[in-house]
Amino acid sequence: MNAHEIEYKLYGDDMQFVEIELDPGESAVAEAGGMMMMEDDIEMETIFGDGTEVKGGLFGKLVGAGKRLVTGESLFMTVYTNDGGVKRHVSFAAPYPGKIIPVDLSELGGKVICQKDSFLCAAKGVSIGIDFQKKLGAGFFGGEGFIMQKLEGDGLAFLHAGGTIHRRELQPGERLRIDTGCLVALTKEVDYDIEYVGKVKTALFGGEGLFFATVKGPGTVWIQSLPFSRLADRIFASAPSNGGKSKGEGSVLGGIGDLLNGDD
């Protein structure tokens, strides 16, 4: 498997986008809705699957597409190809505040396992599939479900995650417990499982869930400080629920001010 050799540049800090440089004839593949802007001579094409060669012909493509449906993704992806005679650029933007992580699969053993919603774009030739966890415990109680995406090949791929991203290199036998929503990606060597917190009191009143993701080295893991689920929960909790007024917004005198203004 030989993916296209693309070059890239990251822009921004908290709301990043990645600009990919395509030589004539080169292509990048992305999920629908990720494109931000593109120059002349960049042609878009909707394809079935991810554009990689699949063994088994049409049947193999149907199986691969069915697996993508399980993860909640579309059957189709979009390929952006430079049909001109000079270098052109296409840019992809992150959907919420966070960081874009460039992943060179050729340097990571040819495979990275990631959360199903973290994939942003990749060089054409990178295979985007699903990875079933061997242990059902990890599946049913992992924050993102027991099915995760897998990226395979020898090209560049780009992931997106919330908040600050920490890359941790695990030594052989080294273990780390991570909140299930904070685990973004891991290399294929990492042993991944789910661990019960142990004390129900701690789980119920400590503000954390009942389970941790336990990773064991050797290998590399990427961890995010702000999972989108946490951000969404806070936004939902702060959303107006009394005629357009946000709960607890403003100072501690907000309620008194409403009374003085004649508001009930």
Side-chain angles (χ1 to χ4, degrees), residues 11-25:
Y11 292 88
D13 186 20
D14 294 326
M15 291 293 291
Q16 291 186 317
F17 72 92
V18 57
E19 179 187 77
I20 294 178
E21 182 179 88
L22 298 175
D23 291 333

Side-chain angles (χ1 to χ4, degrees), residues 173-185:
E174 181 181 2
R175 295 173 70 250
L176 190 66
R177 290 186 295 177
I178 307 169
D179 182 277
T180 52
C182 291
L183 180 60
V184 177

Side-chain angles (χ1 to χ4, degrees), residues 185-197:
L186 58 150
T187 53
K188 63 180 182 180
E189 301 88 1
V190 176
D191 183 28
Y192 169 66
D193 198 5
I194 294 296
E195 179 181 330
Y196 178 59
V197 172

Side-chain angles (χ1 to χ4, degrees), residues 194-229:
I194 294 296
E195 179 181 330
Y196 178 59
V197 172
K199 297 181 179 179
V200 176
K201 181 179 179 181
T202 301
L204 295 180
F205 302 106
E208 304 298 332
L210 290 171
F211 301 90
F212 290 134
T214 302
V215 293
K216 182 179 179 181
T220 304
V221 295
W222 288 265
I223 305 162
Q224 63 182 346
S225 65
L226 182 61
F228 180 71
S229 57

